Amino acid sequence: MRFDILTIFPKMMYGYLREGVIGREVTKGTIEVYFHDIRKYSTDKHKKVDHTPFGGGAGMVMTPQPIYDCIQAVKKKNKGPVVYMSPKGKVLTHSMAQRLGRYDGMILLCGRYEGIDQRVLDMCVDMEISIGKYVLSGGELPAMVVLDTVTRLLPDALGNENSAEEDSFSEKLNGKKEYPHYTKPREFMGISVPEVLLNGNHAEIDAWRRKQLK
């Protein structure tokens, strides 16, 4: 699966690609991740990508030309949807991540300042996604959240086919949070692991775990 991330701060996210599930899947070739500096597409002699908003108001707005040209260039290699990371978008859910994972790729657009000129959003963006009802400095962190949650649902990404099925909010758990997890030692600070998890009866263990779901 191919991810193209459009941003004015590409170096901000390089480190995340070297570790954990994402790093492993990049190495395996399961996913390809490319960063594109929107500023390089600006036709302004100073490579400016923002300007004051028409009608007045605080802050700056990202201008449409560099973003439009960047998207058009990337779409030559990635036919997936263009996703704008926006606090006004639909909130990312487990089921949404599953649907996104069915594409061969996607283009993640990261805004900054007060936002992006509406005209380029109307012309180029297929969907807007939020990771929560709060405001961040830009779309880079949300883009990495989408990259992470979609990637870990891809086949074999977690090394165990049951891991993703038993995640919080998965269909198997009926959208509920996970049950408590325990590991060695059997007793820690005077607190023992529940006996039902030690008896080897998988039916009883499964029943106990389902009772713990909230």
Side-chain angles (χ1 to χ4, degrees), residues 185-193:
R186 183 167 175 169
E187 182 176 310
F188 177 72
M189 300 292 286
I191 303 173
S192 297
V193 173

Side-chain angles (χ1 to χ4, degrees), residues 61-84:
V61 176
M62 293 186 72
T63 53
Q65 177 273 315
I67 299 171
Y68 179 86
D69 287 351
C70 184
I71 290 174
Q72 297 309 309
V74 172
K75 288 180 73 172
K76 293 177 181 178
K77 295 185 177 180
N78 189 336
K79 304 302 181 183
V82 178
V83 180
Y84 175 44

Side-chain angles (χ1 to χ4, degrees), residues 141-194:
L141 285 175
M144 299 311 288
V145 169
V146 171
L147 170 63
D148 190 296
T149 191
V150 171
T151 297
R152 67 192 312 281
L153 293 176
L154 297 177
D156 300 323
L158 300 182
N160 184 323
E161 63 182 9
N162 293 322
S163 293
E165 290 183 8
E166 295 183 356
D167 278 342
S168 296
F169 311 114
S170 67
E171 291 181 7
K172 184 173 181 179
L173 298 186
N174 295 318
K176 298 178 180 179
K177 295 181 181 180
E178 285 189 85
Y179 46 77
H181 298 283
Y182 296 89
T183 186
K184 294 182 179 181
R186 183 167 175 169
E187 182 176 310
F188 177 72
M189 300 292 286
I191 303 173
S192 297
V193 173

Side-chain angles (χ1 to χ4, degrees), residues 4-139:
D4 286 275
I5 301 176
L6 284 50
T7 171
I8 60 172
F9 295 117
K11 294 181 181 179
M12 179 182 291
M13 297 175 282
Y14 287 156
Y16 199 77
L17 302 184
R18 303 191 184 104
E19 308 292 342
V21 174
I22 302 300
R24 185 170 64 245
E25 296 310 297
V26 169
T27 300
K28 287 166 54 179
T30 307
I31 63 171
E32 297 177 272
V33 184
Y34 300 93
F35 296 104
H36 305 270
D37 188 348
I38 295 171
R39 197 177 298 278
K40 290 183 178 180
Y41 291 84
S42 175
T43 57
D44 180 85
K45 65 179 180 179
H46 301 298
K47 294 300 179 182
K48 190 175 177 64
V49 295
D50 63 302
H51 217 297
T52 54
F54 282 118
M60 306 290 277
V61 176
M62 293 186 72
T63 53
Q65 177 273 315
I67 299 171
Y68 179 86
D69 287 351
C70 184
I71 290 174
Q72 297 309 309
V74 172
K75 288 180 73 172
K76 293 177 181 178
K77 295 185 177 180
N78 189 336
K79 304 302 181 183
V82 178
V83 180
Y84 175 44
M85 309 312 304
S86 166
K88 298 186 297 182
K90 292 184 178 180
V91 177
L92 181 66
T93 64
H94 187 82
S95 60
M96 185 188 296
Q98 289 177 313
R99 292 194 298 274
L100 291 172
R102 298 180 187 134
Y103 291 103
D104 292 328
M106 69 181 70
I107 300 169
L108 301 175
L109 173 59
C110 306
R112 278 273 159 175
Y113 313 121
E114 294 301 310
I116 289 175
D117 188 293
Q118 185 63 41
R119 291 168 293 185
V120 76
L121 298 182
D122 293 339
M123 289 187 290
C124 300
V125 170
D126 298 301
M127 65 182 80
E128 297 188 23
I129 292 179
S130 167
I131 62 167
K133 297 302 181 183
Y134 47 87
V135 179
L136 295 171
S137 299

